[in-house]
Amino acid sequence: MPRNKKEAVVVLSGGQDSTTCLFWAKKRYEKVYAISFDYGQKHIKELECAKAITKKYDVEHYIMDLSLLNQLAPNSLTRADIKVDEDAPKVGTPNSFVDGRNMLFLSFVAVYVKQKNITDIITGVSQSDFSGYPDCRDVFIKSLNTTLNLAMDYEFQIITPLMWLDKKETWELAEELGVLEVIKNETLTCYNGIMGEGCGHCPACKLRKKGYDAFLNGKK
Ligand code: ZN
């Protein structure tokens, strides 16, 4: 059966990166689906953001239940009693890292897209700003892509538009796509669950603000 190259699935968390990828995909494909995961995030608002964005911009949205992930690996993004590290540790991964998350997410997405005869999976991971997350690195994505192809005898293509962009360049891309205001106001990146500009002091907010300031400076 010929593969469907006119459609793609975007992994959407409701944050800056994945939402930018959603609009990137909308420019390139005739039809874009979004898929999000419910893994017991403390801030269910993240999912609400994803829902609101897909509804407003007319994207078919599917939310998959992955609450199992939280049972397997308690972490600061899902457990109310674990506080998110404000600074990255010198050694090892930050406590906001969820073991196996991207591997599991992308594997489930692969099963889902194959049912639809789609090959293209788009994810907003970035090696430039990987914040100590090993599963955001290019080498991991390529390795998983090969594994998924072998596992299901299929030609998946995991596409990572932001892989080599830093946060400043991601803001530039949003502007290029004509969605700067959407990304600025309608996405949630903050670990403390505050929309738009966020709390201002968690690692995600710091990174987002640093990038945004650099973006503004670059325009002067
Ligand atoms: Zn924050």
Side-chain angles (χ1 to χ4, degrees), residues 40-88:
Q41 301 90 316
K42 260 189 256 177
H43 299 294
I44 202 73
K45 264 197 214 153
E46 210 180 90
L47 276 181
E48 297 304 321
C49 261
K51 272 189 217 166
I53 289 163
T54 48
K55 192 164 177 237
K56 188 165 169 189
Y57 301 99
D58 198 26
V59 176
E60 214 174 297
H61 189 209
Y62 178 53
I63 298 177
M64 208 182 266
D65 177 11
L66 270 192
S67 44
L68 175 68
L69 192 59
N70 190 29
Q71 296 171 36
L72 288 173
N75 64 86
S76 66
L77 295 188
T78 56
R79 284 265 299 267
D81 55 333
I82 306 177
K83 209 172 158 285
V84 177
D85 284 338
E86 295 266 312
D87 297 297

Side-chain angles (χ1 to χ4, degrees), residues 12-33:
L12 184 72
S13 72
Q16 175 188 359
D17 295 345
S18 65
T19 307
T20 304
C21 286
L22 180 72
F23 288 101
W24 181 91
K26 274 171 78 67
K27 283 240 153 65
R28 284 166 178 81
Y29 294 88
E30 278 174 19
K31 185 166 171 75
V32 174
Y33 300 86

Side-chain angles (χ1 to χ4, degrees), residues 190-191 199-200 202 205:
C190 175
Y191 289 151
C199 73
C202 75
C205 277

Side-chain angles (χ1 to χ4, degrees), residues 189-194 197-206:
T189 306
C190 175
Y191 289 151
N192 290 311
I194 301 166
E197 282 189 11
C199 73
H201 55 79
C202 75
C205 277
K206 280 185 194 159

Side-chain angles (χ1 to χ4, degrees), residues 16 129 165-175 180 207-219:
Q16 175 188 359
D129 276 332
L165 304 186
D166 59 21
K167 278 279 181 282
K168 168 182 178 266
E169 292 163 325
T170 304
W171 283 112
E172 285 167 358
L173 177 61
E175 188 180 43
L180 185 63
L207 196 60
R208 176 168 164 147
K209 187 172 184 314
K210 201 175 141 218
Y212 190 69
D213 290 346
F215 161 72
L216 287 181
N217 281 330
K219 283 159 60 92

